[in-house]
Amino acid sequence: MSKWDEIKKRLEHLGGSVDLLADGHKLSLVKLHNKKTIFVRVYVNDLVKFEWTKAEEEKPVHSEGRFWRPMKRAAYKKKAYPSLKRIFGKKEADRAVTPRVIGFVPDFGTEGAAVAHLKKHFPDLEIVEPEQEASE
């Protein structure tokens, strides 16, 4: 079983968690719920600081934001495209309805989404076994 499958398996059930090491940071992934919504939250060094959500030029301002999900939004909805095109022209209208990264959030909708993000950006991360934590 690959480490990616192992991470998904540990996050399969509500309350499931897994600790990881990536780029010198300890990541804790926990499957939580908020009333009817179930999601996976990523804690970096056992913290979630919302100053880490900031983005400049579609990159995280703080290095801890790299582990979180990029949140993309467009300035206008696609529904407004025809009127924007008449007002500003095609080039500007295309730019206005194209989503871009405006911040980073610690929550992923599914364990698969969290694993896909980590797999893409941190292929060499390690799973920290519970007995390793106790001995440190």
Side-chain angles (χ1 to χ4, degrees):
M1 176 183 290
S2 74
K3 64 182 171 185
W4 307 112
D5 292 334
E6 177 69 24
I7 294 168
K8 282 184 191 177
K9 184 177 178 235
R10 290 189 190 184
L11 294 172
E12 200 170 68
H13 302 289
L14 192 60
S17 67
V18 62
D19 292 329
L20 309 167
L21 283 175
D23 284 355
H25 294 280
K26 178 188 171 205
L27 305 179
S28 299
L29 281 66
V30 183
K31 192 160 189 179
L32 303 169
H33 73 92
N34 179 6
K35 296 184 183 174
K36 293 183 181 179
T37 307
I38 297 174
F39 56 92
V40 175
R41 175 158 292 165
V42 178
Y43 294 91
V44 181
N45 299 327
D46 296 325
L47 297 172
V48 171
K49 290 188 178 179
F50 287 96
E51 63 192 42
W52 297 342
T53 62
K54 296 178 185 168
E56 279 183 10
E57 298 178 14
E58 301 192 14
K59 301 277 187 225
V61 173
H62 301 277
S63 64
E64 290 86 352
R66 299 174 299 148
F67 303 106
W68 290 357
R69 177 177 62 87
M71 182 172 57
K72 295 181 178 184
R73 295 286 188 268
Y76 293 92
K77 295 184 179 191
K78 288 218 183 250
K79 192 163 84 172
Y81 183 76
S83 59
L84 291 170
K85 191 173 172 184
R86 281 193 303 274
I87 296 167
F88 299 114
K90 184 181 182 322
K91 190 175 183 180
E92 284 300 315
D94 287 345
R95 194 174 296 148
V97 297
T98 302
R100 63 184 85 146
V101 175
I102 60 167
F104 295 86
V105 291
D107 302 332
F108 290 86
T110 65
E111 58 272 8
V115 167
H117 176 78
L118 294 172
K119 190 175 187 177
K120 179 179 177 184
H121 297 285
F122 307 98
D124 57 344
L125 64 78
E126 302 171 25
I127 297 176
V128 177
E129 298 301 328
E131 55 271 6
Q132 283 182 306
E133 287 179 359
S135 66
E136 288 179 358

